[in-house]
């Protein structure tokens, strides 16, 4: 029980409304808070990240992620290490000792809605590789590769990586 220090009159205050999920898409965010937390089972720890959306109609909304960095499930640890690496690459910080080194720097997140109905982060990338939120362009039609005729003294093009473009979080 807690004394409110007077009588609270709810008729004088607009009630809060439940917040809906963010639509799936890409958002420019910054990490504003992070901390290591103990897992529910008590067998590991995860890095909890709180991020603010920086622009658009959802400016100021928050998104969260958990990175299981200490866990008996090695696959969970590997997935989380890849996600942390993606954050570091997106921010140009290759070596960090404290998660605060990642705060207040813009990066892009890919947000999806999980089967259970909650927003979840599916990837991280630098701001420079961004596409506008809600851009749902059709995937390009794959054409068979045709080798261009060789030019005297020309260098072959660099190899390209397959996968999900610049997104660096995989496995979830």
């Amino acid at each position: 029980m807690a004394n409110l220090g007077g009588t609270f009159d709810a008729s004088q205050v607009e009630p809060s409304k439940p917040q809906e999920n963010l639509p799936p898409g890409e958002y420019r965010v910054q990490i504003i808070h992070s901390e290591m937390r103990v897992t529910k089972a008590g067998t590991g720890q995860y890095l909890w990240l709180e991020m603010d959306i920086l622009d658009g109609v959802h400016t100021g909304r928050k998104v969260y992620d958990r990175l299981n960095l200490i866990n008996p499930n090695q696959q969970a640890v590997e997935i989380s290490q890849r996600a942390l690496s993606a954050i570091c690459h997106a921010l140009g910080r290759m070596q960090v000792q404290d998660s605060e080194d990642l705060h207040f720097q813009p990066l892009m997140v890919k947000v999806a809605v999980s089967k259970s109905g909650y927003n979840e982060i599916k990837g991280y990338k630098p701001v420079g590789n961004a596409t506008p939120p809600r851009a749902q362009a059709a995937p390009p039609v794959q054409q068979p590769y045709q080798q261009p005729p060789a030019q005297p003294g020309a260098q072959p093009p660099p190899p390209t990586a397959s996968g999900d473009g610049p997104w660096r979080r995989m496995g979830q």
Side-chain angles (χ1 to χ4, degrees), residues 137-155:
V141 176
Q142 295 291 329
Q143 299 293 331
Y145 178 73
Q146 295 179 354
Q147 182 71 32
Q151 299 289 329
Q155 296 291 326

Side-chain angles (χ1 to χ4, degrees), residues 77-99:
V77 171
E78 290 170 5
I79 290 168
S80 295
Q81 287 176 341
R82 286 194 302 267
L84 183 56
S85 178
I87 293 168
C88 291
H89 277 86
L91 298 176
R93 302 288 310 247
M94 295 302 109
Q95 297 180 343
V96 293
Q97 290 185 335
D98 192 313
S99 61

Side-chain angles (χ1 to χ4, degrees), residues 36-37 39 43-47 67-73 76-77 80-81:
M36 289 299 288
R37 295 183 175 179
T39 60
T43 58
Q45 295 180 21
Y46 60 90
L47 177 61
L67 306 180
N68 287 292
L69 297 175
I70 302 169
N71 197 288
N73 181 334
V77 171
S80 295
Q81 287 176 341

Side-chain angles (χ1 to χ4, degrees), residues 90-153:
L91 298 176
R93 302 288 310 247
M94 295 302 109
Q95 297 180 343
V96 293
Q97 290 185 335
D98 192 313
S99 61
E100 285 190 15
D101 295 341
L102 307 172
H103 290 193
F104 305 110
Q105 300 171 67
L107 70 154
M108 298 300 296
V109 295
K110 185 175 187 177
V111 174
V113 177
S114 69
K115 290 179 183 176
S116 58
Y118 295 101
N119 281 134
E120 62 183 13
I121 306 296
K122 288 295 195 177
Y124 298 91
K125 69 180 180 181
V127 171
N129 292 334
T131 57
R134 293 195 191 198
Q136 299 289 331
V141 176
Q142 295 291 329
Q143 299 293 331
Y145 178 73
Q146 295 179 354
Q147 182 71 32
Q151 299 289 329

